[in-house]
Amino acid sequence: MERIAIANDHTGRELKEDIKDFLREKGIEVVDLGTNGNESVDYPDYGIPVAEKVSSLEIEKGILICGTGIGMSIVANKFPHIRAALASDVYSARMAKIHNNANILVIGGRVVGKGLAREMVQVWLEARFEGGRHQRRLDKISEIEKRFWKDQAKR
Ligand code: RB5
């Protein structure tokens, strides 16, 4: 069964619950890494565990939510092999997979409503990476990682 790791800060709880329902309706197993409380939290504390699981290939894909999505994007993209795409529209969410092979979708919980978020998740999951010239471009990004991380997960 496909598995998706999901996490959010305090701004994204409600949207997270709706996305979880949507994923479960589609038969996808959801690994919820919090936060599930109401108190204000620091988004890195929740983005890091998702990025670690996707970076290590323990889980293939992730979804992260904070207020704008910007903080979670910055955190996730620090990790080797993470291509976290912040999207606020369906076209970008689809292209994030087709051209960028994004393995984490990031959504702004204060920016995007539930209906739009569901559509974005749907197209991101359904789209297929085109490879070819896009793989060449991603390879150039991976070369940057190799400069900074000696201790990369084996691929
Ligand atoms: C929290 O107020 C907010 O800063 C956070 O959710 C996120 O938008 C950061 O990028």
Side-chain angles (χ1 to χ4, degrees), residues 15-122:
L15 184 60
K16 192 255 301 276
E17 289 306 323
D18 192 67
I19 292 172
K20 279 168 61 182
D21 289 345
F22 181 63
L23 293 173
R24 285 173 178 153
E25 283 162 20
K26 297 172 83 61
I28 296 169
E29 187 186 336
V30 182
V31 179
D32 182 352
L33 296 171
T35 183
N36 291 308
N38 289 322
E39 71 285 359
S40 176
V41 296
D42 298 336
Y43 58 82
D45 294 339
Y46 296 90
I48 287 169
V50 167
E52 280 175 339
K53 286 194 184 301
V54 177
S55 181
S56 67
L57 299 180
E58 184 184 333
I59 296 183
E60 194 193 339
K61 291 174 193 150
I63 296 176
L64 291 172
I65 308 164
C66 64
T68 57
I70 295 170
M72 285 294 200
S73 303
I74 294 170
V75 169
N77 281 311
K78 294 288 181 197
F79 286 77
H81 315 304
I82 292 298
R83 294 174 299 278
L86 172 58
S88 306
D89 63 275
V90 172
Y91 177 77
S92 299
R94 183 185 295 112
M95 298 312 285
K97 177 59 81 56
I98 294 175
H99 281 190
N100 310 108
N101 203 15
N103 47 16
I104 294 185
L105 180 66
V106 189
I107 302 174
R110 288 173 170 163
V111 180
V112 170
K114 289 178 188 168
L116 176 54
R118 282 181 175 228
E119 282 192 49
M120 286 165 41
V121 170
Q122 169 104 0

